[in-house]
Amino acid sequence: MKNNESGMEIRDPSRRKILGGAAALAGTGLTLSLTGCGAASDGKGAAATSTAAKAAGGSAGHFEVPPGKLDDYYILSSGGHSGEVRILGCPSGRTIKRIPVFNIDPMVGWGITNESKAIMGTRPDGQLKYWTGDTHHVHGSYTDGTYDGKRFWVNDKLHGRVARIRGDTFEVDRITELPNVQGHHGIFTDKRDPVDSSINHTTRVFAGAEFHIPLPNDGRDMDKPEAYGCLFSCLDAETMDVRWQCRVDGNMDLVATSYDGKYAASNQYNVEGGIHYEDMMSAEHDACVFFDVARIEAAIKAGKFITIGDSKVPVVDGRRAANADPATALTCYVPVPKNPHGVNASPDGKYFVCSGKLSPTCSVIDLSLVEKWFAGEIKNARDAVVAEPNLGLGPLHTGFDGRGNAYTTLFLDSKIVKWNVDAAIKQFKGDKNAKVVLDSIDVHYQPGHGFTSMGETKNADGKFFNSGNKFSKDRFLPVGPLHVETEQLIDISGDKMVLVHDHTAYPEPHDAIIVAADAIKTRQIYSLDEFPNAVSAQTAGIERNGNKVHVRLTSQAPAYSLREFSVKKGDIVTITLTNLDKVEDLTHGFGIPKYNINFIVNPQETKSVTFVADKPGVYWCYCTHFCHALHLEMRTRMVVEG
């Protein structure tokens, strides 16, 4: 404690004093409970205000987005175990949309309509195969090293899937389940195709598996950890088919790709191959593994692959023992300390940065030296590490500003550190006067992920850093044991970082990207031509085929085309609804009481549902989405005869 000039008691906002003793524990990998740590509190739930937060008070208005004005950026954020993706405005922090992906959403009807079930995947009985998910990382399609806004991809760690989201509607159009994979965590798109130089847009999506499992995982070898393995997968961006897989040592975390399209990389922990967590932290160095895409695809073309279990996907061997000769190696393992979390490529394409997590360092890997290792020009892959600055406790994720600076989240220190990459390289070479760390700022509390505006592209603009914090505690009104999480926007345009504002995030988001608004071109209405089952005024009506009944409806404010329709108990009923309105944002809903049916149709869109009419009676099907002054009157009557 100390007093300011007015004599008022103030508190030291640094978490280093609180958590300094955790360094030794972190080195051993022991689990730390940090929910009670962080900025000092007055004992009544009010956090002490840090110097950075005070400084922000005078400048936050500079970034305010007034009513009627639009944000400069989209933030596309994962939704964690909600199974969704969220879209926020930046710099406002306003939530604009929640995209259902692997979850059921009664508002839009995702997981309820026939069309969405076909994308999500069903069992033979027509029910969803999975209705839960765990999204972690979102990345977009590229043209010439920057976002083109056409598509976005997100992982499902829970069930090992990849989903594709259309950039014009922000809706999912494909989901692929990866074979022989558990814990699909990292994902990244290619930034350029290395095979055909005439193609400079995204053609591949790379996916890393975190959990090692018996291969195949069909009940054999469950007690033989040496038979466990992880597969790195490559998907075709167009078809969403899995092109190939590569078996690796260790557990993969995140994924990054080079700007020339030649390499993908994944940071790894548990090179020890341990089953229990205490067995995963004995090695001082884990690795960042690089995949030579052209070599892998050439090996597959030459037939040098196997298949695993029932999968027909070709699998190559990328383990260390099989890739000792750089001249023929498919993979390169660059040693980095310790249980790294996160790998990111710098906007100039020169470097990949891995964060140490259980080491206070970040490792800067020179991609040209990785290429020299593959060419046999250097023998030790560790020589590709050209800097390893000491930044603080618990480094996790790194973003870039396009001016040569990097920004790394420190989970244990609850800070963001700004550091210069070139200075770190000079220091590594022995320059003791190199100024590596340029600034740091407290965040609240324990930042997990962090990302800069356009920072995953060659057009990183150095305007904002968003810190995704895992705990909020005293930042918002309490609502019970489960707290919202904190997203804190930081201005990084100047020499000093300035905290602009907090915004909330419903648990538990992970990584995100900040995309310039002008890269996104959305559409306002659909076209009837897109839907083969679209209903018109001429085709609307009821069709019966045995116990199968097809009810074709149109909606046009403020009425459905049928005032009522009758079915019999036990009928299998399909309702197809087309919204004939052409006015932007004039969406209609359709809900049936007691039947778990609720969905929307946007202007000129068609959706359908199928269910068994098993409850006799009268059921008012009504518009669930406000559409018109006579919205309450917009109904049709379903009569189920006993």
Side-chain angles (χ1 to χ4, degrees), residues 365-389:
I365 301 170
D366 188 326
L367 187 60
S368 68
L369 296 179
V370 173
E371 196 158 20
K372 287 185 176 181
W373 183 90
F374 277 112
E377 297 177 24
I378 62 173
K379 293 183 178 180
N380 191 344
R382 173 68 184 171
D383 292 340
V385 176
V386 295
E388 216 153 62

Side-chain angles (χ1 to χ4, degrees), residues 212-217 220-230 247 273 275 308 319:
H212 58 316
I213 57 175
L215 296 173
N217 190 24
R220 72 185 83 172
D221 298 331
M222 292 188 290
D223 296 321
K224 296 180 180 179
E226 65 274 12
Y228 287 26
C230 283
R247 184 170 179 176
I275 297 296
I308 298 175
R319 289 173 289 182

Side-chain angles (χ1 to χ4, degrees), residues 212 225 228 251 270-281:
H212 58 316
Y228 287 26
N251 296 170
N270 193 26
V271 297
E272 304 90 338
I275 297 296
H276 304 104
Y277 82 92
E278 63 269 20
D279 301 323
M280 300 179 183
M281 289 170 280

Side-chain angles (χ1 to χ4, degrees), residues 100-106 108-122 126 128-130 161 171-175 598-599 605-609:
V101 183
F102 304 112
N103 56 314
I104 295 175
D105 185 351
V108 299
W110 190 253
I112 297 171
T113 65
N114 295 326
E115 292 77 12
S116 62
K117 284 183 176 180
I119 294 171
M120 296 178 74
T122 57
L128 289 175
K129 185 177 182 181
Y130 309 113
R161 293 176 292 175
E171 295 172 341
V172 174
D173 68 352
R174 290 292 298 271
I175 292 177
N598 195 4
F599 63 97
E605 185 182 26
T606 298
K607 290 180 181 176
S608 65
V609 291

Side-chain angles (χ1 to χ4, degrees), residues 26-106:
T28 66
L30 294 179
T31 303
L32 299 176
S33 176
L34 298 171
T35 54
C37 302
S41 170
D42 61 7
K44 299 179 181 179
T49 304
S50 70
T51 302
K54 289 179 180 177
S59 62
H62 176 68
F63 301 102
E64 181 181 358
V65 180
K69 300 297 182 181
L70 303 181
D71 281 287
D72 296 323
Y73 302 88
Y74 292 87
I75 296 180
L76 279 86
S77 176
S78 65
H81 41 275
S82 71
E84 65 187 22
V85 167
R86 298 158 188 171
I87 302 177
L88 292 76
C90 179
S92 72
R94 299 179 292 212
T95 299
I96 302 172
K97 186 171 184 176
R98 295 168 57 187
I99 307 172
V101 183
F102 304 112
N103 56 314
I104 295 175
D105 185 351

